[in-house]
Each structure stands twice: as C-alpha cells, then as structure tokens.
Amino acid sequence: MSRLIVILGVTGVQGSSVADTYLQSAGWKIRGVTRNPTSESAKDWAAKGIEIVKGDLDDVVSLKRAFVGADIIFGVTDFWTIFKDPESQRKKNPGQELVEYCYDVELQQGKNIADAAATVSGLCRYILSSMAHAGTSSNGKFAKLYHMDSKADAALYAQSLPALVGKFSQVQAPIYFQLPWQWGLPTTPKKVTDGTWRMAGIGPGDKGIPFGHVRKDLGPCVKAVAEAEANVNLFAVGQYVSWSDYLQIFCETQGLTYGGYDELSYDKFCELLPGGLGHEFAHNVLFALEFGYEGTDPAVVKPEKR
C-alpha cells in the first residue's frame, strides 16, 4: 500500500525539491498544498500525478483538511513573502518594524502547521524547514535576527506539543546560490568602468559562506531525515564558498574578467537596503561567520558528522 507525503509550498523552491524526490520514490503518493491550486505551477505538478489541494498557513482548518491521512508532512514558511506583501505594511502595529511584524506572522504560521500536524492520527514524521536560533546561539548578540528566530521558535513550539513527541524533525537549508540575483542585493556581481566585475558585501571576502543548490539538493535531505529516527536536525549545506571565490566562479563560467570584492559596513549595507532588509541579510552573514549558520546547538547534524 502506498504511503502519503503532504508537502506545503509545493510550488516553491523547497517544496518543489521535496516533490521531485518523492516522485522518483516508489510506494509514495504525494499531496501538494498551495494557496492557489489554479496557478500554472500547481497545474504542472498535477499533470505529473500530484494531488493538489488548497491550504493557507493562516488558516488551521484548511491545513487540517490538507493533512488528513498523511504519513509524512513537510512544512515550510516564508518570511520574505510576508515581507514583500504590501498588506503587511498596513497590518503591522503603529511604530512596529516591518521585520518584527513578519516574525510574528511567520511564527504564528509555524504554530498553525504544528497544531494541524498534531491532529493527524498515524502521522510518522513532521519535518519543518527551520533555521538556527540566532538570539540563543549568540547569547543575545544577534537578538533581532527575525527571519531566523521565527523559524527556530516555530520548531521549539512543535517540540512542545505532546502529540508530536517522537514524530518531529528539522532540516535547515543553507543560503541559496542564486540569492544575490533573486533580491538584487549589493552582493550581485556588477560590471565596473574598467570592464571587470566586482562584488560588494558583508564580511571579509575570504571567509566561507554556506551555500547550497536548494532546488536540487533539499529534497534528498528531507527524505533522509524522514527515514531516520525522529528528533533529527540536519544542516543541509552544499558547500562553503567565499564571496571572492563566488565571484571568481561566476566570472570563469560567464567568460568575464574578475575584478574583486569590496567589504561593506553594516550601516552602509542597511543604507543600500532600507526597511529592515539590509539588517536581516547583513546580520545573517555576520552571525554565520561568527557562530556558524546552523548555530551552536551540538545536536545539529553537520556534514562532518555524516
């Protein structure tokens, strides 16, 4: 008899990777959950044999319906979708920073997923895409790294639910290789007047940054965690690449001339990316360089422990 995996955000980068992996795995039925089942990407997944259902992370009832009969649930939330939503500016409290509001919303969504998963009889594993708790790992030095702590706090909440004891695990995704282009960050390589290409970013150019091809590699990591005992927290890093090497690889593969890397101050980065975006991205890198992107929890499974 086939088993059922329910994948939240099936049209997104992480959910798509998990869907691809289980499409290639015998004995599995796949149910993809999305806010818009009529989108072209949702239709594409349906054409591949995936059951597509509507679900809203802000609506626990819709999640409970989507999770019925699940053996495995893959949960993912997206801080940046909330950040980019024009309605978020209207909904946040007066005087509240947008990134703090996004923390509140994403944490509640994570709690909603856990609450719905806790109602599934026969559930074997609930796997959450999480991150390190920056505030805890840094002893308060990075106390307002909202897009990390929202996911980490959601994981702590799931661990606190009696119905999920012995059923919960986590996967931490690394920094996406395509992130600079995706957001138009200052770290996006640019051609300068002498014809060379340069990057400007946070942190020194010779320190390794944890990158990964999340669309390709996260799914197999989720499957490995699903097949392991519960309470796994896997850091699914691909490889560590410095900003200078990142630019060098880009130039070599595109036939361009390497110019070099320029380190920006935190204040300058925030000036270039206002509204809290520069703060989140800058502190993300600075936290990773000092404490490790996966944090200081000794229970996290890192590449050297595989």
Side-chain angles (χ1 to χ4, degrees):
M1 176 181 286
S2 295
R3 302 176 71 197
L4 173 65
I5 179 169
V6 178
I7 303 171
L8 290 176
V10 70
T11 61
V13 174
Q14 295 191 28
S16 292
S17 183
V18 178
D20 274 340
T21 297
Y22 277 89
L23 276 173
Q24 300 169 33
S25 304
W28 285 96
K29 294 187 296 185
I30 305 171
R31 181 181 298 152
V33 184
T34 177
R35 288 179 299 175
N36 184 10
T38 62
S39 70
E40 290 304 314
S41 53
K43 291 177 181 177
D44 288 343
W45 284 118
K48 295 178 181 179
I50 291 180
E51 177 192 4
I52 299 295
V53 301
K54 183 178 178 62
D56 188 331
L57 299 186
D58 297 314
D59 180 1
V60 178
V61 173
S62 74
L63 296 177
K64 289 180 179 179
R65 286 196 299 263
F67 292 169
V68 170
D71 294 285
I72 295 175
I73 295 168
F74 172 71
V76 60
T77 55
D78 188 357
F79 182 97
W80 304 114
T81 294
I82 305 164
F83 183 89
K84 291 184 289 188
D85 185 353
E87 284 294 296
S88 294
Q89 284 285 2
R90 184 183 63 82
K91 292 178 179 178
K92 71 182 184 68
N93 296 326
Q96 184 182 33
E97 290 184 84
L98 178 58
V99 287
E100 183 180 8
Y101 169 80
C102 295
Y103 165 90
D104 292 340
V105 175
E106 185 176 35
L107 174 56
Q108 185 59 57
Q109 290 178 346
K111 289 180 176 180
N112 291 344
I113 299 169
D115 285 339
T119 68
V120 180
S121 61
L123 181 69
C124 177
R125 194 75 73 244
Y126 165 40
I127 302 170
L128 176 66
S129 175
S130 69
M131 298 187 78
H133 198 291
T136 301
S137 289
S138 67
N139 291 317
K141 181 174 182 178
F142 293 92
K144 293 185 177 181
L145 194 37
Y146 293 110
H147 80 278
M148 295 187 71
D149 287 355
S150 52
K151 298 175 182 65
D153 285 335
L156 290 172
Y157 178 79
Q159 290 170 324
S160 74
L161 297 180
L164 293 180
V165 171
K167 299 181 179 182
F168 180 68
S169 286
Q170 306 171 59
V171 172
Q172 296 187 38
I175 295 174
Y176 293 22
F177 272 122
Q178 71 272 26
L179 183 67
W181 281 271
Q182 182 180 351
W183 280 90
L185 301 181
T187 42
T188 307
K190 294 179 176 65
K191 187 177 182 179
V192 294
T193 54
D194 65 0
T196 64
W197 287 72
R198 300 188 68 87
M199 288 179 68
I202 286 291
D206 60 350
K207 299 292 186 181
I209 306 294
F211 284 102
H213 192 321
V214 176
R215 178 62 179 81
K216 176 183 176 183
D217 296 334
L218 188 76
C221 291
V222 169
K223 189 170 186 291
V225 169
E227 293 173 353
E229 296 295 324
N231 303 315
V232 171
N233 187 346
L234 174 66
F235 180 38
V237 63
Q239 61 188 114
Y240 288 83
V241 181
S242 70
W243 290 125
S244 295
D245 286 344
Y246 186 101
L247 177 61
Q248 187 74 50
I249 294 168
F250 170 75
C251 289
E252 289 176 356
T253 56
Q254 302 301 312
L256 306 173
T257 303
Y258 173 84
Y261 171 81
D262 303 304
E263 183 175 355
L264 299 174
S265 69
Y266 167 80
D267 289 340
K268 182 62 178 179
F269 202 80
C270 291
E271 178 186 325
L272 293 171
L273 290 172
L277 187 61
H279 162 81
E280 290 292 317
F281 283 156
H283 268 199
N284 197 166
V285 173
L286 294 174
F287 168 80
L289 291 173
E290 185 170 352
F291 297 100
Y293 194 73
E294 72 282 8
T296 57
D297 183 351
V300 176
V301 179
K302 307 174 187 179
E304 61 267 25
K305 293 185 179 181
R306 294 178 186 171

mmCIF file of all heavy atoms in Angstrom, residues 119-145:
data_model
loop_
_atom_site.group_PDB
_atom_site.id
_atom_site.type_symbol
_atom_site.label_atom_id
_atom_site.label_comp_id
_atom_site.label_asym_id
_atom_site.label_seq_id
_atom_site.Cartn_x
_atom_site.Cartn_y
_atom_site.Cartn_z
ATOM 1 N N THR A 119 -2.910 16.874 14.893
ATOM 2 C CA THR A 119 -4.231 16.234 14.852
ATOM 3 C C THR A 119 -4.257 15.007 13.947
ATOM 4 O O THR A 119 -5.291 14.326 13.871
ATOM 5 C CB THR A 119 -5.301 17.223 14.349
ATOM 6 O OG1 THR A 119 -5.064 17.536 12.963
ATOM 7 C CG2 THR A 119 -5.294 18.506 15.175
ATOM 8 N N VAL A 120 -3.160 14.724 13.252
ATOM 9 C CA VAL A 120 -3.143 13.641 12.258
ATOM 10 C C VAL A 120 -2.854 12.312 12.938
ATOM 11 O O VAL A 120 -1.736 12.073 13.429
ATOM 12 C CB VAL A 120 -2.100 13.915 11.160
ATOM 13 C CG1 VAL A 120 -2.104 12.775 10.135
ATOM 14 C CG2 VAL A 120 -2.372 15.248 10.476
ATOM 15 N N SER A 121 -3.846 11.460 12.970
ATOM 16 C CA SER A 121 -3.628 10.127 13.546
ATOM 17 C C SER A 121 -2.785 9.303 12.580
ATOM 18 O O SER A 121 -2.985 9.348 11.374
ATOM 19 C CB SER A 121 -4.972 9.437 13.800
ATOM 20 O OG SER A 121 -5.681 9.273 12.587
ATOM 21 N N GLY A 122 -1.845 8.576 13.110
ATOM 22 C CA GLY A 122 -0.995 7.748 12.259
ATOM 23 C C GLY A 122 0.175 8.486 11.634
ATOM 24 O O GLY A 122 0.915 7.896 10.839
ATOM 25 N N LEU A 123 0.352 9.765 11.959
ATOM 26 C CA LEU A 123 1.476 10.519 11.411
ATOM 27 C C LEU A 123 2.792 9.913 11.882
ATOM 28 O O LEU A 123 2.975 9.633 13.068
ATOM 29 C CB LEU A 123 1.397 11.982 11.863
ATOM 30 C CG LEU A 123 2.502 12.909 11.351
ATOM 31 C CD1 LEU A 123 2.367 13.126 9.851
ATOM 32 C CD2 LEU A 123 2.481 14.247 12.096
ATOM 33 N N CYS A 124 3.693 9.725 10.940
ATOM 34 C CA CYS A 124 5.009 9.175 11.282
ATOM 35 C C CYS A 124 6.025 10.281 11.528
ATOM 36 O O CYS A 124 6.785 10.233 12.492
ATOM 37 C CB CYS A 124 5.491 8.272 10.151
ATOM 38 S SG CYS A 124 7.157 7.591 10.403
ATOM 39 N N ARG A 125 6.038 11.278 10.638
ATOM 40 C CA ARG A 125 7.043 12.318 10.776
ATOM 41 C C ARG A 125 6.541 13.665 10.271
ATOM 42 O O ARG A 125 5.961 13.758 9.185
ATOM 43 C CB ARG A 125 8.295 11.940 9.992
ATOM 44 C CG ARG A 125 9.527 12.783 10.324
ATOM 45 C CD ARG A 125 10.148 12.401 11.669
ATOM 46 N NE ARG A 125 10.829 11.131 11.583
ATOM 47 C CZ ARG A 125 10.448 10.041 12.269
ATOM 48 N NH1 ARG A 125 9.376 10.081 13.052
ATOM 49 N NH2 ARG A 125 11.108 8.909 12.169
ATOM 50 N N TYR A 126 6.750 14.697 11.077
ATOM 51 C CA TYR A 126 6.552 16.079 10.653
ATOM 52 C C TYR A 126 7.927 16.721 10.569
ATOM 53 O O TYR A 126 8.646 16.812 11.572
ATOM 54 C CB TYR A 126 5.660 16.830 11.640
ATOM 55 C CG TYR A 126 5.686 18.340 11.475
ATOM 56 C CD1 TYR A 126 5.696 18.935 10.209
ATOM 57 C CD2 TYR A 126 5.707 19.184 12.588
ATOM 58 C CE1 TYR A 126 5.733 20.306 10.064
ATOM 59 C CE2 TYR A 126 5.731 20.555 12.448
ATOM 60 C CZ TYR A 126 5.757 21.113 11.183
ATOM 61 O OH TYR A 126 5.805 22.483 11.045
ATOM 62 N N ILE A 127 8.309 17.144 9.362
ATOM 63 C CA ILE A 127 9.630 17.729 9.129
ATOM 64 C C ILE A 127 9.451 19.195 8.782
ATOM 65 O O ILE A 127 8.766 19.546 7.821
ATOM 66 C CB ILE A 127 10.367 17.001 7.989
ATOM 67 C CG1 ILE A 127 10.516 15.515 8.325
ATOM 68 C CG2 ILE A 127 11.735 17.638 7.742
ATOM 69 C CD1 ILE A 127 11.022 14.683 7.165
ATOM 70 N N LEU A 128 10.076 20.069 9.556
ATOM 71 C CA LEU A 128 9.961 21.506 9.358
ATOM 72 C C LEU A 128 11.254 22.060 8.784
ATOM 73 O O LEU A 128 12.354 21.727 9.246
ATOM 74 C CB LEU A 128 9.666 22.196 10.688
ATOM 75 C CG LEU A 128 9.611 23.736 10.659
ATOM 76 C CD1 LEU A 128 8.424 24.214 9.824
ATOM 77 C CD2 LEU A 128 9.546 24.299 12.078
ATOM 78 N N SER A 129 11.125 22.920 7.786
ATOM 79 C CA SER A 129 12.270 23.682 7.293
ATOM 80 C C SER A 129 12.523 24.814 8.285
ATOM 81 O O SER A 129 11.748 25.761 8.363
ATOM 82 C CB SER A 129 11.978 24.239 5.902
ATOM 83 O OG SER A 129 13.036 25.070 5.468
ATOM 84 N N SER A 130 13.603 24.712 9.043
ATOM 85 C CA SER A 130 13.852 25.646 10.135
ATOM 86 C C SER A 130 15.199 26.337 9.952
ATOM 87 O O SER A 130 15.877 26.174 8.926
ATOM 88 C CB SER A 130 13.817 24.908 11.478
ATOM 89 O OG SER A 130 14.932 24.048 11.590
ATOM 90 N N MET A 131 15.578 27.106 10.940
ATOM 91 C CA MET A 131 16.896 27.741 10.970
ATOM 92 C C MET A 131 17.389 27.756 12.412
ATOM 93 O O MET A 131 16.642 27.439 13.342
ATOM 94 C CB MET A 131 16.836 29.172 10.418
ATOM 95 C CG MET A 131 16.408 29.271 8.963
ATOM 96 S SD MET A 131 16.543 30.942 8.259
ATOM 97 C CE MET A 131 18.319 31.020 7.952
ATOM 98 N N ALA A 132 18.642 28.132 12.584
ATOM 99 C CA ALA A 132 19.194 28.258 13.925
ATOM 100 C C ALA A 132 18.532 29.411 14.662
ATOM 101 O O ALA A 132 18.034 30.363 14.043
ATOM 102 C CB ALA A 132 20.700 28.501 13.849
ATOM 103 N N HIS A 133 18.523 29.335 15.986
ATOM 104 C CA HIS A 133 18.033 30.446 16.792
ATOM 105 C C HIS A 133 19.213 31.389 17.031
ATOM 106 O O HIS A 133 20.086 31.115 17.853
ATOM 107 C CB HIS A 133 17.459 29.957 18.118
ATOM 108 C CG HIS A 133 16.573 30.959 18.781
ATOM 109 N ND1 HIS A 133 17.057 32.124 19.321
ATOM 110 C CD2 HIS A 133 15.218 30.989 18.961
ATOM 111 C CE1 HIS A 133 16.057 32.820 19.821
ATOM 112 N NE2 HIS A 133 14.920 32.156 19.610
ATOM 113 N N ALA A 134 19.229 32.488 16.294
ATOM 114 C CA ALA A 134 20.370 33.401 16.348
ATOM 115 C C ALA A 134 20.522 34.038 17.716
ATOM 116 O O ALA A 134 21.642 34.200 18.222
ATOM 117 C CB ALA A 134 20.226 34.478 15.275
ATOM 118 N N GLY A 135 19.404 34.399 18.332
ATOM 119 C CA GLY A 135 19.474 35.032 19.638
ATOM 120 C C GLY A 135 20.096 34.123 20.681
ATOM 121 O O GLY A 135 20.957 34.542 21.464
ATOM 122 N N THR A 136 19.681 32.860 20.696
ATOM 123 C CA THR A 136 20.205 31.905 21.669
ATOM 124 C C THR A 136 21.648 31.542 21.367
ATOM 125 O O THR A 136 22.503 31.534 22.261
ATOM 126 C CB THR A 136 19.340 30.634 21.683
ATOM 127 O OG1 THR A 136 17.998 30.981 22.025
ATOM 128 C CG2 THR A 136 19.879 29.619 22.674
ATOM 129 N N SER A 137 21.950 31.229 20.108
ATOM 130 C CA SER A 137 23.297 30.796 19.744
ATOM 131 C C SER A 137 24.341 31.885 19.981
ATOM 132 O O SER A 137 25.506 31.584 20.253
ATOM 133 C CB SER A 137 23.340 30.366 18.274
ATOM 134 O OG SER A 137 22.647 29.152 18.076
ATOM 135 N N SER A 138 23.925 33.145 19.865
ATOM 136 C CA SER A 138 24.873 34.252 20.023
ATOM 137 C C SER A 138 24.836 34.865 21.418
ATOM 138 O O SER A 138 25.461 35.904 21.643
ATOM 139 C CB SER A 138 24.565 35.338 18.991
ATOM 140 O OG SER A 138 23.312 35.954 19.257
ATOM 141 N N ASN A 139 24.103 34.228 22.337
ATOM 142 C CA ASN A 139 23.940 34.770 23.691
ATOM 143 C C ASN A 139 23.444 36.213 23.667
ATOM 144 O O ASN A 139 23.877 37.060 24.457
ATOM 145 C CB ASN A 139 25.256 34.685 24.466
ATOM 146 C CG ASN A 139 25.640 33.254 24.799
ATOM 147 O OD1 ASN A 139 24.798 32.461 25.201
ATOM 148 N ND2 ASN A 139 26.914 32.922 24.618
ATOM 149 N N GLY A 140 22.531 36.479 22.738
ATOM 150 C CA GLY A 140 21.895 37.784 22.672
ATOM 151 C C GLY A 140 22.582 38.798 21.780
ATOM 152 O O GLY A 140 22.043 39.890 21.569
ATOM 153 N N LYS A 141 23.750 38.482 21.234
ATOM 154 C CA LYS A 141 24.444 39.438 20.371
ATOM 155 C C LYS A 141 23.625 39.732 19.113
ATOM 156 O O LYS A 141 23.568 40.874 18.653
ATOM 157 C CB LYS A 141 25.824 38.909 19.987
ATOM 158 C CG LYS A 141 26.613 39.872 19.111
ATOM 159 C CD LYS A 141 28.028 39.380 18.858
ATOM 160 C CE LYS A 141 28.804 40.392 18.017
ATOM 161 N NZ LYS A 141 30.213 39.959 17.797
ATOM 162 N N PHE A 142 23.006 38.691 18.550
ATOM 163 C CA PHE A 142 22.132 38.859 17.388
ATOM 164 C C PHE A 142 20.702 38.556 17.836
ATOM 165 O O PHE A 142 20.112 37.552 17.464
ATOM 166 C CB PHE A 142 22.567 37.929 16.249
ATOM 167 C CG PHE A 142 23.901 38.280 15.665
ATOM 168 C CD1 PHE A 142 25.067 37.689 16.147
ATOM 169 C CD2 PHE A 142 24.006 39.202 14.638
ATOM 170 C CE1 PHE A 142 26.301 38.011 15.621
ATOM 171 C CE2 PHE A 142 25.232 39.529 14.093
ATOM 172 C CZ PHE A 142 26.389 38.937 14.583
ATOM 173 N N ALA A 143 20.176 39.461 18.662
ATOM 174 C CA ALA A 143 18.884 39.213 19.312
ATOM 175 C C ALA A 143 17.695 39.561 18.437
ATOM 176 O O ALA A 143 16.566 39.221 18.783
ATOM 177 C CB ALA A 143 18.811 40.013 20.613
ATOM 178 N N LYS A 144 17.919 40.252 17.328
ATOM 179 C CA LYS A 144 16.815 40.655 16.469
ATOM 180 C C LYS A 144 17.060 40.233 15.032
ATOM 181 O O LYS A 144 16.944 41.005 14.093
ATOM 182 C CB LYS A 144 16.601 42.168 16.548
ATOM 183 C CG LYS A 144 16.113 42.638 17.909
ATOM 184 C CD LYS A 144 15.800 44.126 17.899
ATOM 185 C CE LYS A 144 15.241 44.572 19.242
ATOM 186 N NZ LYS A 144 14.903 46.026 19.232
ATOM 187 N N LEU A 145 17.417 38.969 14.868
ATOM 188 C CA LEU A 145 17.567 38.397 13.528
ATOM 189 C C LEU A 145 16.278 37.632 13.257
ATOM 190 O O LEU A 145 16.167 36.419 13.415
ATOM 191 C CB LEU A 145 18.786 37.484 13.484
ATOM 192 C CG LEU A 145 19.338 37.037 12.128
ATOM 193 C CD1 LEU A 145 19.252 38.125 11.078
ATOM 194 C CD2 LEU A 145 20.761 36.575 12.272
#
